[in-house]
């Protein structure tokens, strides 16, 4: 009996020691884990924020460049007239203003007399933007604050050439306050604030309605609030970064900024740290739970295993939804996801993308190179569009994309065409890649996947027929 007692006692002692060691190791592991998670949350929040600001800065710059392109096309049309202030030209700028995002459009003669689309005339000969454009340059004015709606606008100007001589200027005003707010509205549920600042820290966009709503003191210069040497240096050297600042009320804020690449301006975005990290708050709850209820550690492990199993199942389901070559959604998943969106009667932009001359790539360079082209294009499409958009491959070299925000669809498409042209595949040597795109809008052009597919396919056919490397929008009267 005694012989059995001591081995059993030793076994129990060893078992208790093992349990205590396990619990202590687990506690240490949990402490290390949550410390690491806290650091990761901080780093990921910063990375996500600065990445968004850099992308939105590029997007804002792209939108301004697109409007410059519109004005250059208008200038070419205006140059065909003998009289800049002719009735036809007035009608032209009126139609132009109604079909673009510009708030006001004007023709300016060499003497600085500006005829606006509302037929008001005033002289702007003393304005810098007029003088620069008369020298044959594109120009962007200093910011002007409206006394009516307190929104900041800038004047975009381009010269009107005739026989290589500047015969006048055409310009349009653009609401940069509204554009800046629109770009960041979907970040952190609108808890942050975007603004544009010049190199000296002066705020170009001032949203007095926002300041009044949130009971903020009017800020004229960012450096007066954030007097950090690093910020001033970054602004001077046009660098993107993020800093942590403290308010007088001891509130922690993230300030992210990135160069706009126009007039040495910077795009800035400020948001409370708790809002930027809000999606990670569940980790703190787990930490408190584990620290308080160590006695339920075994149950927690079971829950964790169940969660891991569920996550693995979701991962397997995810793999079944993905096209293995391009890593975008496969045909079945693409159609299912798009139909779900359409069932909610959402306004969307439906694209069909087709690789131009893809058969010749396979014939001349081999199917392995063709697969590499599709793989690179799939990666490009995923990175170019937002996570809320749907990107799928439905077979061969044909892709489907559903853009949630139809207001920015065309600018995204124009930028995509350029990126595809710039895509380099080593094996293709000097072969230039391009894509053709057909576009349909929901619910205007259809409320089901097949309706939108049929109409977008008709628009794609028009793109192919008129030269490729472009896009066409479906029209109801198209034959």
């Amino acid at each position: 009996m005694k012989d059995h007692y001591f081995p059993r006692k030793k076994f129990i002692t060893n078992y208790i020691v093992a349990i205590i060691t396990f619990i202590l190791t687990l506690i240490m592991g949990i402490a290390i884990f949550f410390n690491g998670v806290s650091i990761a949350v901080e780093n990921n929040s910063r990375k996500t924020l600065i990445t968004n600001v850099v992308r939105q800065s590029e997007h804002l710059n792209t939108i301004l460049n697109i409007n410059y392109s519109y004005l250059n096309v208008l200038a070419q049309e205006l140059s065909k007239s003998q009289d800049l202030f002719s009735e036809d030209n007035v009608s032209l700028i009126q139609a132009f203003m109604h079909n673009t995002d510009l708030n006001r459009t004007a023709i300016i003669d060499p003497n600085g007399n500006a005829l606006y689309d509302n037929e008001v005339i005033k002289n702007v000969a003393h304005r810098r933007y007029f003088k620069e454009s008369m020298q044959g340059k594109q120009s962007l004015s200093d910011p002007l604050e409206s006394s009516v709606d307190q929104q900041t606008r800038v004047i975009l100007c381009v010269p009107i050439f005739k026989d290589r001589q500047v015969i006048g200027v055409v310009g349009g005003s653009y609401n940069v306050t509204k554009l800046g707010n629109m770009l960041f509205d979907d970040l952190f549920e609108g808890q942050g604030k975007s603004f544009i600042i010049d190199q000296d820290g002066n705020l170009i966009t001032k949203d007095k309605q926002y300041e009044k709503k949130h009971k903020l003191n009017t800020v004229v210069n960012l450096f007066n609030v954030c007097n950090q040497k690093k910020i001033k240096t970054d602004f001077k050297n046009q660098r993107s970064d993020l800093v942590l600042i403290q308010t007088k009320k001891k509130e922690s804020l993230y300030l992210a900024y990135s160069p706009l690449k126009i007039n040495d301006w910077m795009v800035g975005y400020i948001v409370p740290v708790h809002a930027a990290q809000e999606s990670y708050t569940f980790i703190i709850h787990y930490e408190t739970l584990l620290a308080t209820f160590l006695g339920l550690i075994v149950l927690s492990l079971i829950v964790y295993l169940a969660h891991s199993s569920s996550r693995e199942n979701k991962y397997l389901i995810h793999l079944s939804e993905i096209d293995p070559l391009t890593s975008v959604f496969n045909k079945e998943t693409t159609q299912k996801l798009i139909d779900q969106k359409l069932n909610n009667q959402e306004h969307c932009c439906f694209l069909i993308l087709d690789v131009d001359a893809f058969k010749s790539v396979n014939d001349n360079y081999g199917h392995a190179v063709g697969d590499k082209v599709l793989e690179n294009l799939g990666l490009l499409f995923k990175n170019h569009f937002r996570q809320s958009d749907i990107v799928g491959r439905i077979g061969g070299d044909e892709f489907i994309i559903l853009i949630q925000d139809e207001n920015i669809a065309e600018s995204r498409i124009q930028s995509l065409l350029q990126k595809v042209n710039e895509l380099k595949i080593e094996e293709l040597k000097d072969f230039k890649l391009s894509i053709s795109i057909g576009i349909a809008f929901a619910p205007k052009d259809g409320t089901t996947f097949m309706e939108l597919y049929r109409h977008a396919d008709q628009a794609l056919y028009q793109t192919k027929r008129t030269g490729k490397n472009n896009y066409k929008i479906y029209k109801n009267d198209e034959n």
Side-chain angles (χ1 to χ4, degrees), residues 58-72:
E58 293 172 351
H59 188 199
L60 179 58
N61 189 45
T62 299
I63 291 174
L64 290 177
N65 284 330
I66 289 171
N67 281 280
Y68 270 127
S69 300
Y70 291 158
L71 287 171
N72 279 313

Side-chain angles (χ1 to χ4, degrees), residues 30 33-35 37-39 41-42 45 273-293:
I30 290 172
F33 169 75
F34 279 107
N35 183 59
V37 167
S38 178
I39 295 172
V41 167
E42 174 76 11
S45 299
V273 171
H274 68 82
Q277 298 183 2
E278 193 170 3
S279 58
Y280 301 100
T281 53
F282 72 94
I283 295 174
I284 300 173
H285 298 156
Y286 277 128
E287 186 174 17
T288 304
L289 184 66
L290 289 173
T292 307
F293 300 104

